[in-house]
């Protein structure tokens, strides 16, 4: 019985360690097209043309970027990774 409890505890620990490793995302620059900055810029321009409200801008940009990535046979980004990418490729406001 004690061995069974130890094995369950060990398995739970290994799952927790594996989950933590997966949660730490790889840098957002991995497996992205070279023109990702241009994609972000085009999505920003589209958001202006579509008159996207400020409170919806991040959602719009993430969807736009992921649509462009998928259209070019790249995997979509997680919401958090896409936000990091947007931040990296958005010039500061004047």
């Amino acid at each position: 019985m004690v061995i069974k409890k130890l094995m369950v505890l060990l398995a739970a620990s290994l799952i927790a360690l594996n989950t933590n490793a997966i949660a730490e995302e790889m840098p957002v620059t991995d497996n992205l097209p070279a023109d990702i900055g241009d994609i972000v810029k085009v999505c920003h321009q589209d958001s202006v043309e579509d008159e996207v409200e400020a409170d919806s801008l991040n959602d719009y940009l993430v969807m736009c970027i992921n649509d462009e990535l998928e259209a070019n046979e790249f995997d979509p980004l997680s919401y958090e990774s896409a936000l990091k990418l947007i931040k990296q490729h958005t010039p500061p406001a004047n």
Side-chain angles (χ1 to χ4, degrees):
M1 189 71 161
V2 171
I3 293 176
K4 193 174 189 178
K5 286 182 181 179
L6 287 174
M7 290 186 70
V8 168
L9 182 60
L10 178 62
S13 298
L14 289 175
I15 290 170
L17 288 173
N18 191 27
T19 302
N20 286 340
I22 292 171
E24 295 176 11
E25 292 185 30
M26 297 177 71
V28 295
T29 55
D30 288 355
N31 195 29
L32 292 175
D35 65 344
I36 190 66
D38 293 336
I39 291 172
V40 174
K41 184 177 179 180
V42 166
C43 288
H44 269 290
Q45 291 169 344
D46 289 350
S47 72
V48 171
E49 292 172 9
D50 291 344
E51 299 177 357
V52 176
E53 298 290 327
D55 60 341
S56 303
L57 182 60
N58 284 341
D59 293 339
Y60 180 95
L61 293 173
V62 169
M63 188 170 50
C64 177
I65 291 166
N66 279 333
D67 287 349
E68 288 296 319
L69 289 173
E70 289 179 310
N72 290 293
E73 299 183 9
F74 286 89
D75 291 332
L77 298 172
S78 70
Y79 190 84
E80 293 80 17
S81 292
L83 288 179
K84 289 178 188 176
L85 186 69
I86 292 164
K87 192 173 190 177
Q88 289 174 352
H89 292 279
T90 302
N94 292 333

